[in-house]
Amino acid sequence: MIGYLDDPEPVVDQLCRCVAPGGLVSIMTGNAGAMAVRPSLERRWTDALASFDTTRETGVLGLPTRADTVEEISDLIDARGFRPVQWYGVWLFVDWLDLGGAALDPNDADQLQAAAEVELEAGRRDPYRQLSRLFHLIGRADRWNRAPAACRTLPPFH
């Protein structure tokens, strides 16, 4: 997930260089449009109000994260010869369950299957996908893109 990087462009460059002509690039990152949801559900109203105008937070792992918009990441890949094909919301309902004390039971296969089906459907539809904590963008390389031979070692994450 590129949301842990201060600047996503070097990694997006590498990803796009490694895709064969006609291939797909897949990018997941935080959803800037949903930054106010978590602090609101935690009743941190001052933080929630400030979240409408920010793209940075400390995530659930205690690490600083950055969020993007679908349009921003679409523009990044478009500038590298990729046509945005589709985007999906990721973690709409299950990401918020712990906040209400109703976490999923990892030993209940039926519950996990049902939750996955609901998440998949919500991730495909507006307005639900717009409120998802993360989004997943898929782009297709045009047929003149560089072949995988142009791929180099990814830079280290800092």
Side-chain angles (χ1 to χ4, degrees):
M1 185 176 92
I2 64 172
Y4 291 106
L5 305 173
D6 284 331
D7 180 7
E9 289 199 46
V11 170
V12 172
D13 283 339
Q14 283 299 141
L15 288 173
C16 292
R17 284 186 190 119
C18 293
V19 177
L24 298 174
V25 67
S26 169
I27 298 174
M28 190 165 71
T29 188
N31 181 2
M35 293 292 288
V37 176
R38 181 200 321 251
S40 293
L41 291 174
E42 292 174 345
R43 296 184 178 115
R44 295 184 291 120
W45 305 116
T46 302
D47 293 341
L49 191 56
S51 295
F52 286 108
D53 296 316
T54 189
T55 58
R56 300 196 180 259
E57 71 173 354
T58 299
V60 296
L61 299 177
L63 300 171
T65 61
R66 180 190 43 73
D68 301 286
T69 66
V70 172
E71 294 78 18
E72 289 166 341
I73 302 303
S74 293
D75 288 347
L76 276 180
I77 67 169
D78 184 64
R80 288 153 179 84
F82 285 73
R83 179 177 44 85
V85 175
Q86 185 60 271
W87 72 275
Y88 302 91
V90 178
W91 291 354
L92 173 58
F93 301 113
V94 297
D95 197 47
W96 312 120
L97 287 178
D98 284 335
L99 298 177
L104 288 173
D105 178 354
N107 298 312
D108 186 339
D110 291 338
Q111 183 186 57
L112 293 174
Q113 178 65 34
E117 290 173 10
V118 169
E119 286 287 339
L120 182 61
E121 196 58 38
R124 295 176 180 162
R125 297 178 182 222
D126 289 328
Y128 304 105
R129 70 180 182 162
Q130 296 171 6
L131 291 172
S132 292
R133 182 121 171 79
L134 306 174
F135 69 85
H136 177 205
L137 175 70
I138 299 170
R140 181 171 301 281
D142 64 37
R143 63 180 184 211
W144 297 282
N145 246 27
R146 290 186 182 172
C151 190
R152 296 190 308 262
T153 304
L154 289 174
F157 288 97
H158 300 202

